[in-house]
Amino acid sequence: MDLARTEVAPRRSRKESATRMGLMALPVAFFAVFFAYPVAAIVARGLKIDGAWRFGRIGEVLAQSDIRHVLWFTTWQALASTALTLLIALPGAYVFARFDFRGKQVLRAVVTVPFVLPTVVVGTAFLALVGRGGLLDQLWGVRLDTTLWAILLAHVFFNYAVVVRTVGGLWSQLDPRQEEAARMLGASRFAAWRRVTLPALSPAVAAAALMVFLFTFTSFGVVQILGGPTFSTLEVEIYRQTSEIFDLATAAVLTIVQFVAVGAILAVHAWTVRRRETVLRLVAPEVTVRRPRGAGQWALLGGVLASILVLLVLPLGVLVQRSLDAPGGYGFAYYKALTSADSGIFLVAPIAAIGNSLEYALAATAIAVVIGGLAAAALTRRTGRLVRGFDALLMLPLGVSAVTVGFGFLIALDEPPLDLRSSWILVPLAQALVGVPFVVRTMLPVLRAVDGRLREAAAVLGASPWRVWREVDLPLVRRALLIAAGFAFAVSLGEFGATVFIARPDNPTLPVAVARLLGRAGDLNYGQAMALSTILMVVCAVALLLLERIRTDRTGEF
């Protein structure tokens, strides 16, 4: 009997390894061809001259005072944005985790809408709020568009949902009776929270802080619109060096610097995620959600609702208001102007960008779900350095310069058998790179929650790996798959950094159309940009509301 077991175990281990490698094959090939290859092509184009590598160029670029200023500002604003986001969003995480109140599901979708909006739309919303002629300028003469505060508040707006979902998701699974027991033993409310709850929350807070830092460190659209000539992040500088100055060597050096920084951030993030998963196994999964009790809890709920109204809802409301504020009075004049191609900015009417974006996003969603689904399935099979490295690879597109990827597509994918520069599929491929991490992060916790003995029983009965997935995993994770597809669709719809290089003039996407309209002077162009941004916001909001209706508490990290 023991001999039979010792013979079966190695065969099972080899079979599992073969299955894992088979699942990883397509995602690895996809990232190698459409991520690593274009980025490497850009770096090589910038640092390789006459067939020889010029690594000394790295030191020359980093010695420039203006480049050092960009590096300092990128890091400083990311730290400030992260601290401000945590300060404002942590009370919201507690409210969503512990309180039950009317409209909670809708409000949860509302706070997530900014996260899936394109950064160019976020910048546009705050430009309408605090910029020249914005709401604050009209009412009180206050303009923040040339100060750091506008950028910081826009980053809070964009990343509020990261903290609420990441920290709130763990907070809702912590047993409140542990803190209550500490208070019964004489600890004050703050002391009980500091000694019991905070240590358990620290991995989730660290993971959320790292993700916010990552998103703000690589900020592009927000800083591009609100920063003006004064403020520039690494991503904005890479775009400027690539598209305006045509200095590929400097752009390549900055890409390498950003790549190293992002790799370090993701390595620390992976460590915090493993700590958080360990904590989740040690605490009770039951959640005590109740209506607020006492003046203090009602005041906290009111404060959180007020902050959401001011920081999240108001910018979106101003965006809608500015899209309707036409010269002849409030109406849909700017929306009607979207049907005309007489502006000279596009070869087609701006409204065509809506159909283009939907088609591209659907194609990108299909690609992201296939690649991300296979990757998530592979990551559920054991752990190890190979699996952790593969997981980190999947997260890289969230932090590596999308500008570099987009321009790399133009340089690298221009020869057979990968001559895709004139193909429509180029845009969905770039968008899918951003969508895959969201699919993985949504699917992975649910797949890991599936009892592995069910898979083993099906395999023992002779089911192939594909049949095991179809008849065991799929019925249990169907809901998570729909949510993953929804997130992939939303983020693909708003991808801007790479698409701005590869979207053709006769097939612009919504974010590209908004950016081009904002780049032209005139009230008509500005109003059309606000109208397109509003349309994109509504589409994203509808998608998020649908996702909230089918979400369960265990459905992914987002």
Side-chain angles (χ1 to χ4, degrees):
M1 184 70 174
D2 292 338
L3 180 61
R5 287 181 179 176
T6 57
E7 291 177 351
V8 169
R11 287 201 299 268
R12 180 180 299 172
S13 177
R14 288 194 297 268
K15 187 175 181 179
E16 289 181 353
S17 298
T19 300
R20 183 172 64 249
M21 295 303 294
L23 292 170
M24 291 171 57
L26 184 58
V28 168
F30 177 79
F31 275 79
V33 174
F34 298 113
F35 177 71
Y37 179 45
V39 172
I42 281 288
V43 173
R45 183 68 65 94
L47 297 181
K48 201 172 184 180
I49 300 177
D50 297 328
W53 289 93
R54 288 191 57 195
F55 292 106
R57 180 61 176 159
I58 297 177
E60 297 172 5
V61 171
L62 296 180
Q64 299 175 19
S65 60
D66 56 337
I67 297 298
R68 290 202 304 271
H69 175 74
V70 169
L71 291 172
W72 164 247
F73 175 73
T74 301
T75 305
W76 189 91
Q77 65 82 26
L79 289 171
S81 297
T82 301
L84 189 60
T85 303
L86 289 175
L87 179 66
I88 295 175
L90 281 176
Y94 175 79
V95 165
F96 279 98
R98 293 300 196 201
F99 292 169
D100 182 25
F101 53 91
R102 184 175 299 177
K104 179 179 176 179
Q105 189 179 56
V106 174
L107 194 64
R108 182 181 172 93
V110 168
V111 302
T112 311
V113 168
F115 179 67
V116 298
L117 282 178
T119 54
V120 65
V121 174
V122 174
T124 304
F126 273 81
L127 189 65
L129 179 63
V130 303
R132 178 179 57 85
L135 180 64
L136 298 185
D137 189 15
Q138 293 178 3
L139 296 179
W140 299 293
V142 177
R143 289 169 54 185
L144 301 177
D145 54 313
T146 57
T147 70
L148 180 62
W149 277 108
I151 295 174
L152 297 182
L153 291 176
H155 284 159
V156 174
F157 172 90
F158 185 76
N159 293 291
Y160 187 94
V162 176
V163 178
V164 167
R165 288 182 175 268
T166 304
V167 179
L170 176 58
W171 213 332
S172 65
Q173 297 186 24
L174 295 180
D175 191 345
R177 292 172 296 184
Q178 296 176 354
E179 189 173 321
E180 293 170 0
R183 294 195 63 196
M184 291 180 62
L185 294 174
S188 65
R189 182 182 296 273
F190 177 74
W193 181 84
R194 180 173 58 86
R195 295 179 180 178
V196 177
T197 304
L198 183 59
L201 281 179
S202 58
V205 174
L210 286 167
M211 289 307 297
V212 173
F213 183 84
L214 175 65
F215 291 138
T216 52
F217 186 84
T218 58
S219 182
F220 177 51
V222 167
V223 180
Q224 175 81 350
I225 293 175
L226 296 175
T230 306
F231 302 113
S232 179
T233 57
L234 268 174
E235 187 84 353
V236 174
E237 189 64 21
I238 291 172
Y239 176 78
R240 191 173 74 88
Q241 296 288 341
T242 302
S243 63
E244 298 178 8
I245 303 177
F246 302 107
D247 186 351
L248 292 185
T250 299
V253 171
L254 296 181
T255 297
I256 293 173
V257 171
Q258 185 165 307
F259 187 85
V260 172
V262 168
I265 295 170
L266 290 178
V268 178
H269 178 264
W271 177 71
T272 60
V273 168
R274 289 197 298 273
R275 283 190 62 201
R276 183 176 58 179
E277 290 175 350
T278 301
V279 170
L280 282 174
R281 287 194 293 268
L282 297 176
V283 298
E286 293 81 9
V287 181
T288 304
V289 179
R290 60 177 182 266
R291 294 187 63 81
R293 295 183 298 186
Q297 292 189 354
W298 280 107
L300 176 61
L301 176 60
V304 168
L305 293 178
S307 66
I308 291 174
L309 179 65
V310 173
L311 290 175
L312 305 184
V313 178
L314 182 59
L316 298 179
V318 172
L319 190 66
V320 177
Q321 180 265 332
R322 295 303 298 271
S323 73
L324 298 173
D325 189 9
Y330 281 94
F332 295 93
Y334 290 138
Y335 290 88
K336 294 178 181 177
L338 296 176
T339 61
S340 173
D342 297 334
S343 63
I345 301 178
F346 307 103
L347 299 179
V348 295
I351 199 171
I354 300 174
N356 295 335
S357 290
L358 292 175
E359 292 176 1
Y360 288 146
L362 287 172
T365 299
I367 297 171
V369 167
V370 172
I371 300 298
L374 289 173
L379 290 172
T380 59
R381 265 76 174 177
R382 294 190 177 185
T383 59
R385 292 183 179 179
L386 176 63
V387 173
R388 290 197 293 270
F390 179 58
D391 194 8
L393 169 68
L394 299 173
M395 293 292 289
L396 280 177
L398 290 181
V400 173
S401 171
V403 171
T404 301
V405 174
F407 197 63
F409 269 33
L410 295 181
I411 291 178
L413 306 180
D414 63 342
E415 296 179 356
L418 291 174
D419 186 5
L420 301 176
R421 285 195 300 179
S422 60
S423 174
W424 67 273
I425 197 65
L426 204 60
V427 173
L429 287 172
Q431 294 174 341
L433 283 172
V434 182
V436 167
F438 288 91
V439 174
V440 174
R441 299 267 72 84
T442 303
M443 295 286 297
L444 190 55
V446 184
L447 283 171
R448 284 176 173 169
V450 176
D451 192 340
R453 291 173 296 183
L454 297 177
R455 300 189 185 102
E456 294 175 0
V460 168
L461 293 175
S464 64
W466 163 245
R467 189 173 180 183
V468 170
W469 160 256
R470 180 166 54 87
E471 297 189 7
V472 176
D473 292 88
L474 184 58
L476 297 174
V477 303
R478 185 181 291 112
R479 187 185 297 267
L481 186 62
L482 291 174
I483 293 176
F487 266 110
F489 176 79
V491 297
S492 298
L493 197 67
E495 204 287 322
F496 175 65
T499 309
V500 70
F501 279 98
I502 57 181
R504 291 160 45 180
D506 57 340
N507 286 295
T509 63
L510 275 170
V512 172
V514 170
R516 290 178 182 173
L517 286 167
L518 287 175
R520 293 293 188 95
D523 291 338
L524 179 61
N525 292 327
Y526 182 80
Q528 289 183 90
M530 296 295 170
L532 282 178
S533 298
T534 301
I535 292 172
L536 185 51
M537 178 193 70
V538 170
V539 173
C540 291
V542 170
L544 262 296
L545 285 171
L546 292 176
L547 291 183
E548 285 303 318
R549 291 185 64 86
I550 61 175
R551 171 178 291 278
T552 63
D553 291 338
R554 295 181 58 86
T555 307
E557 297 178 21
F558 294 100

